Short mmCIF file of all heavy atoms in Angstrom, two decimals:
data_model
loop_
_atom_site.label_atom_id
_atom_site.label_comp_id
_atom_site.label_asym_id
_atom_site.label_seq_id
_atom_site.Cartn_x
_atom_site.Cartn_y
_atom_site.Cartn_z
N LYS A 870 0.82 -1.21 0.00
CA LYS A 870 0.00 0.00 0.00
C LYS A 870 0.86 1.26 0.00
O LYS A 870 0.41 2.33 -0.43
CB LYS A 870 -0.93 0.00 1.21
CG LYS A 870 -2.06 -1.03 1.11
CD LYS A 870 -2.95 -1.01 2.34
CE LYS A 870 -4.05 -2.05 2.23
NZ LYS A 870 -4.91 -2.09 3.45
N GLN A 871 2.09 1.14 0.48
CA GLN A 871 3.01 2.28 0.48
C GLN A 871 3.79 2.38 -0.84
O GLN A 871 4.66 3.24 -0.98
CB GLN A 871 4.01 2.15 1.63
CG GLN A 871 3.34 2.23 3.00
CD GLN A 871 4.33 2.01 4.14
OE1 GLN A 871 5.55 2.08 3.92
NE2 GLN A 871 3.83 1.77 5.34
N GLY A 872 3.46 1.50 -1.80
CA GLY A 872 4.08 1.56 -3.12
C GLY A 872 5.32 0.72 -3.29
O GLY A 872 6.02 0.85 -4.30
N HIS A 873 5.62 -0.15 -2.34
CA HIS A 873 6.81 -0.98 -2.43
C HIS A 873 6.53 -2.26 -3.21
O HIS A 873 5.41 -2.76 -3.23
CB HIS A 873 7.32 -1.36 -1.03
CG HIS A 873 7.79 -0.20 -0.22
ND1 HIS A 873 8.97 0.48 -0.49
CD2 HIS A 873 7.24 0.43 0.86
CE1 HIS A 873 9.13 1.45 0.39
NE2 HIS A 873 8.08 1.44 1.22
N THR A 874 7.57 -2.78 -3.85
CA THR A 874 7.52 -4.11 -4.44
C THR A 874 8.08 -5.07 -3.40
O THR A 874 9.23 -4.93 -2.98
CB THR A 874 8.36 -4.19 -5.73
OG1 THR A 874 7.83 -3.25 -6.66
CG2 THR A 874 8.30 -5.59 -6.33
N VAL A 875 7.29 -6.03 -2.99
CA VAL A 875 7.60 -6.83 -1.80
C VAL A 875 8.00 -8.24 -2.19
O VAL A 875 7.33 -8.90 -3.00
CB VAL A 875 6.39 -6.87 -0.84
CG1 VAL A 875 6.76 -7.62 0.44
CG2 VAL A 875 5.92 -5.47 -0.51
N GLY A 876 9.11 -8.70 -1.60
CA GLY A 876 9.52 -10.09 -1.72
C GLY A 876 9.32 -10.81 -0.40
O GLY A 876 9.45 -10.21 0.67
N MET A 877 8.98 -12.08 -0.47
CA MET A 877 8.71 -12.87 0.73
C MET A 877 9.39 -14.23 0.61
O MET A 877 9.32 -14.87 -0.44
CB MET A 877 7.19 -13.06 0.91
CG MET A 877 6.78 -14.00 2.02
SD MET A 877 7.17 -13.34 3.65
CE MET A 877 6.81 -14.78 4.68
N THR A 878 10.06 -14.62 1.67
CA THR A 878 10.68 -15.95 1.70
C THR A 878 10.02 -16.79 2.77
O THR A 878 9.56 -16.26 3.80
CB THR A 878 12.19 -15.87 1.98
OG1 THR A 878 12.39 -15.27 3.27
CG2 THR A 878 12.90 -15.05 0.92
N GLY A 879 9.96 -18.08 2.54
CA GLY A 879 9.36 -18.97 3.52
C GLY A 879 9.52 -20.42 3.12
O GLY A 879 9.92 -20.73 1.99
N ASP A 880 9.21 -21.31 4.04
CA ASP A 880 9.32 -22.74 3.75
C ASP A 880 8.20 -23.56 4.35
O ASP A 880 8.13 -24.77 4.12
CB ASP A 880 10.67 -23.28 4.24
CG ASP A 880 10.84 -23.10 5.75
OD1 ASP A 880 9.94 -22.52 6.38
OD2 ASP A 880 11.88 -23.54 6.28
N GLY A 881 7.31 -22.93 5.12
CA GLY A 881 6.28 -23.68 5.81
C GLY A 881 4.88 -23.34 5.33
O GLY A 881 4.67 -22.39 4.58
N VAL A 882 3.91 -24.15 5.80
CA VAL A 882 2.52 -23.92 5.42
C VAL A 882 2.03 -22.57 5.94
O VAL A 882 1.22 -21.90 5.31
CB VAL A 882 1.64 -25.07 5.96
CG1 VAL A 882 0.16 -24.80 5.68
CG2 VAL A 882 2.07 -26.40 5.36
N ASN A 883 2.55 -22.15 7.09
CA ASN A 883 2.12 -20.87 7.67
C ASN A 883 2.58 -19.68 6.85
O ASN A 883 2.11 -18.56 7.05
CB ASN A 883 2.65 -20.75 9.10
CG ASN A 883 4.17 -20.82 9.14
OD1 ASN A 883 4.77 -21.72 8.55
ND2 ASN A 883 4.78 -19.88 9.83
N ASP A 884 3.51 -19.87 5.91
CA ASP A 884 4.00 -18.78 5.06
C ASP A 884 3.22 -18.65 3.75
O ASP A 884 3.46 -17.71 2.99
CB ASP A 884 5.47 -19.00 4.72
CG ASP A 884 6.35 -19.03 5.96
OD1 ASP A 884 6.11 -18.19 6.84
OD2 ASP A 884 7.26 -19.88 6.03
N VAL A 885 2.31 -19.58 3.47
CA VAL A 885 1.67 -19.63 2.16
C VAL A 885 0.90 -18.36 1.83
O VAL A 885 1.00 -17.81 0.73
CB VAL A 885 0.75 -20.87 2.05
CG1 VAL A 885 -0.11 -20.80 0.79
CG2 VAL A 885 1.59 -22.14 2.04
N MET A 886 0.12 -17.84 2.77
CA MET A 886 -0.69 -16.65 2.49
C MET A 886 0.19 -15.44 2.16
O MET A 886 -0.10 -14.68 1.23
CB MET A 886 -1.58 -16.33 3.70
CG MET A 886 -2.63 -17.39 3.98
SD MET A 886 -3.74 -17.66 2.57
CE MET A 886 -4.57 -16.08 2.53
N ALA A 887 1.27 -15.26 2.91
CA ALA A 887 2.17 -14.14 2.64
C ALA A 887 2.91 -14.34 1.32
O ALA A 887 3.15 -13.38 0.57
CB ALA A 887 3.16 -13.99 3.78
N LEU A 888 3.28 -15.58 1.00
CA LEU A 888 3.95 -15.86 -0.27
C LEU A 888 3.05 -15.53 -1.46
O LEU A 888 3.49 -14.99 -2.47
CB LEU A 888 4.37 -17.33 -0.32
CG LEU A 888 5.54 -17.74 0.60
CD1 LEU A 888 5.69 -19.26 0.62
CD2 LEU A 888 6.84 -17.10 0.12
N LYS A 889 1.76 -15.87 -1.34
CA LYS A 889 0.81 -15.59 -2.43
C LYS A 889 0.58 -14.09 -2.57
O LYS A 889 0.38 -13.59 -3.68
CB LYS A 889 -0.51 -16.31 -2.17
CG LYS A 889 -0.43 -17.82 -2.29
CD LYS A 889 -1.78 -18.48 -2.11
CE LYS A 889 -2.69 -18.16 -3.28
NZ LYS A 889 -3.96 -18.91 -3.22
N GLN A 890 0.58 -13.36 -1.45
CA GLN A 890 0.30 -11.93 -1.50
C GLN A 890 1.49 -11.14 -2.04
O GLN A 890 1.32 -10.11 -2.68
CB GLN A 890 -0.06 -11.43 -0.10
CG GLN A 890 -0.34 -9.94 0.00
CD GLN A 890 -1.57 -9.54 -0.80
OE1 GLN A 890 -2.52 -10.31 -0.91
NE2 GLN A 890 -1.54 -8.34 -1.36
N ALA A 891 2.69 -11.61 -1.83
CA ALA A 891 3.89 -10.87 -2.20
C ALA A 891 4.03 -10.77 -3.72
O ALA A 891 3.52 -11.59 -4.47
CB ALA A 891 5.12 -11.53 -1.60
N ASP A 892 4.74 -9.72 -4.16
CA ASP A 892 5.01 -9.56 -5.59
C ASP A 892 5.99 -10.61 -6.09
O ASP A 892 5.92 -11.03 -7.24
CB ASP A 892 5.58 -8.16 -5.86
CG ASP A 892 4.59 -7.07 -5.48
OD1 ASP A 892 3.58 -6.92 -6.19
OD2 ASP A 892 4.82 -6.39 -4.48
N CYS A 893 6.92 -11.01 -5.25
CA CYS A 893 7.89 -12.04 -5.61
C CYS A 893 8.06 -12.95 -4.40
O CYS A 893 8.45 -12.49 -3.32
CB CYS A 893 9.23 -11.42 -6.00
SG CYS A 893 10.50 -12.62 -6.44
N SER A 894 7.76 -14.22 -4.56
CA SER A 894 7.84 -15.16 -3.45
C SER A 894 8.94 -16.18 -3.70
O SER A 894 9.09 -16.69 -4.81
CB SER A 894 6.50 -15.87 -3.26
OG SER A 894 6.04 -16.41 -4.49
N ILE A 895 9.71 -16.46 -2.65
CA ILE A 895 10.88 -17.34 -2.76
C ILE A 895 10.76 -18.40 -1.67
O ILE A 895 10.66 -18.07 -0.48
CB ILE A 895 12.18 -16.54 -2.58
CG1 ILE A 895 12.22 -15.39 -3.59
CG2 ILE A 895 13.39 -17.45 -2.76
CD1 ILE A 895 13.28 -14.36 -3.30
N ALA A 896 10.80 -19.66 -2.06
CA ALA A 896 10.67 -20.76 -1.12
C ALA A 896 11.94 -21.59 -1.07
O ALA A 896 12.70 -21.66 -2.04
CB ALA A 896 9.49 -21.65 -1.50
N MET A 897 12.17 -22.20 0.07
CA MET A 897 13.30 -23.11 0.22
C MET A 897 12.95 -24.46 -0.43
O MET A 897 11.82 -24.93 -0.34
CB MET A 897 13.62 -23.34 1.70
CG MET A 897 14.02 -22.10 2.46
SD MET A 897 15.61 -21.42 1.92
CE MET A 897 15.05 -19.96 1.05
N GLY A 898 13.93 -25.08 -1.04
CA GLY A 898 13.69 -26.35 -1.72
C GLY A 898 13.27 -27.46 -0.80
O GLY A 898 12.55 -28.39 -1.20
N SER A 899 13.66 -27.38 0.46
CA SER A 899 13.28 -28.41 1.43
C SER A 899 12.00 -28.06 2.18
O SER A 899 11.66 -28.74 3.15
CB SER A 899 14.43 -28.59 2.44
OG SER A 899 14.68 -27.35 3.12
N GLY A 900 11.30 -27.01 1.73
CA GLY A 900 10.10 -26.57 2.44
C GLY A 900 8.88 -27.42 2.15
O GLY A 900 8.93 -28.41 1.41
N ALA A 901 7.77 -26.99 2.71
CA ALA A 901 6.51 -27.71 2.52
C ALA A 901 6.06 -27.61 1.07
O ALA A 901 6.34 -26.63 0.38
CB ALA A 901 5.44 -27.14 3.45
N GLN A 902 5.33 -28.63 0.61
CA GLN A 902 4.89 -28.67 -0.78
C GLN A 902 3.97 -27.50 -1.11
O GLN A 902 4.02 -26.96 -2.23
CB GLN A 902 4.16 -30.00 -1.05
CG GLN A 902 3.78 -30.23 -2.49
CD GLN A 902 5.00 -30.29 -3.40
OE1 GLN A 902 6.04 -30.81 -3.01
NE2 GLN A 902 4.89 -29.76 -4.61
N ALA A 903 3.15 -27.08 -0.17
CA ALA A 903 2.24 -25.95 -0.42
C ALA A 903 3.03 -24.66 -0.65
O ALA A 903 2.68 -23.85 -1.51
CB ALA A 903 1.29 -25.78 0.76
N ALA A 904 4.12 -24.47 0.10
CA ALA A 904 4.95 -23.28 -0.08
C ALA A 904 5.64 -23.31 -1.44
O ALA A 904 5.75 -22.28 -2.12
CB ALA A 904 5.98 -23.17 1.04
#
């Protein structure tokens, strides 16, 4: 909302919503399948 392009990293199911919302999402290869 402040005009930033946002990147999000995560590896768990709890990160899925933030990963989907981010402009660029980066997951760890050993993370959960949903991520």
Side-chain angles (χ1 to χ4, degrees):
K870 289 179 180 178
Q871 295 177 15
H873 295 288
T874 300
V875 184
M877 173 68 189
T878 61
D880 61 357
V882 175
N883 59 311
D884 299 318
V885 169
M886 294 301 294
L888 289 170
K889 291 184 69 173
Q890 179 64 33
D892 298 289
C893 179
S894 51
I895 305 166
M897 299 293 107
S899 59
Q902 186 62 36

